[in-house]
Amino acid sequence: MADIATDLPVKPRILIADDSRIVRATLIKHIEGMFDFREACNGEEAWEMLLADRHIKVVITDITMPRLDGYGLLQRIRHSSITRLREIPVVVISGSDEQAERERAIAAGASDLITKGIGTAHLVSRLDVLSTLTTTRQEFRRSLESLVQDVNPEALFALPMQERFNADASALLQSAVQGRRNFVLLSVRLALRRIVAEGACGTPPASVMAAIGQLLRRTIRQTDHVAQTGEAEFMLATGSINFDAAIIFARRICHAIADADIANEASGHLFACCGVASLSERGSATEDISLLRMQEIARRRAELGMAQGFIGAVGEQEEAGAANGMPLAAPAIEHAESGTPDAATLLRWIREGRQEQVRPHLDKLPAELQSLAELVMKRSPS
């Protein structure tokens, strides 16, 4: 009898799309042993592989390729009707590391940009982050809903205490400074917003906090650290991570928590905001940076988001905009990646008074809601 699990990769599977056999071979040499891999020599071939192989976790694509170039492949991925594809991390590989090229790639929906001369350690670290941290929003939401049903609140104490977290995170920060690598600290803040008292917020139940804590611990890498650092706050410390990947991860955590059906209409709906502090914000001036200072920055940004009822990540750019009177708003690429929620989610949001969250999806209603609306419109007047 055939083993039905033989096609499941033990290691994360990477798809490398490049028309140069030499470039593909060089990248494979970097990642062989750490990752499983597939090869494509053009964008069309890569697209067909993505459709057929649901175990691919990250895509590395060249920009210039025959039949379909890298930006064309990226556009298909980000506009796919398949959620798995819309949310897959995509790394653009380029001959240069110019800021303009990076900005164009990120604006097109890339998760990261690397150069063809990247070293093994840096490439493996970035792929490790993308394959581990960028869990899809839907997977995170479903796992959270399941955990809330059966998690034991006492399991929360399996997370490190704040003192242990501070010690581990400080060591990770110092290692990043010495190695000239990035370090990111996330303050994940949660609240229950009650419908009956507009603007009033409460603390999530212990079972919800326990479930979120356990899910965060499962999601991060072994080299990262997480702890509950307040009644409704978690702190997450991660090193050797690209800032854009950290922001994407933070946004998906917050939206997955807000999307999860784990509260009831009487208690209100759960929402989350993540304050992000990054070592890369300070450039080379790292001599006076401390974990305490970064915690202050991350918490200040999380509180800014909570005050505006913002679901998402607040970093340096968002904070600067808010200081100039600009309201916090999710970037366009975030909407493109997230897709349209299912009918049950949209209806629940409406019941909870979250019409502003529903409006961006009205033009792309799920098929079941469209059919219902058409039937109502065709109904003869009584």
Side-chain angles (χ1 to χ4, degrees), residues 120-181:
T120 299
H122 284 98
L123 178 59
V124 169
S125 175
R126 292 189 182 189
L127 293 179
D128 183 33
V129 169
L130 291 172
S131 62
T132 305
L133 291 184
T134 48
T135 305
T136 68
R137 198 166 135 180
Q138 285 75 14
E139 289 172 345
F140 200 105
R141 173 180 59 80
R142 286 193 295 267
S143 297
L144 181 55
E145 290 172 347
S146 176
L147 273 172
V148 168
Q149 299 301 319
D150 55 18
V151 73
N152 179 356
E154 296 299 323
L156 186 61
F157 294 104
L159 292 179
M161 300 297 289
Q162 184 167 350
E163 293 77 9
R164 173 64 183 274
F165 170 82
N166 288 345
D168 290 340
S170 293
L172 190 61
L173 170 59
Q174 292 307 312
S175 175
V177 171
Q178 294 170 7
R180 297 184 180 276
R181 300 185 300 273

Side-chain angles (χ1 to χ4, degrees), residues 15 46-53 56 59 77 84-85 88:
L15 172 61
W47 176 247
E48 293 299 325
M49 286 185 179
L50 282 169
L51 290 174
D53 189 349
I56 294 172
V59 177
I77 291 171
R84 169 179 63 85
L85 298 183
I88 195 169

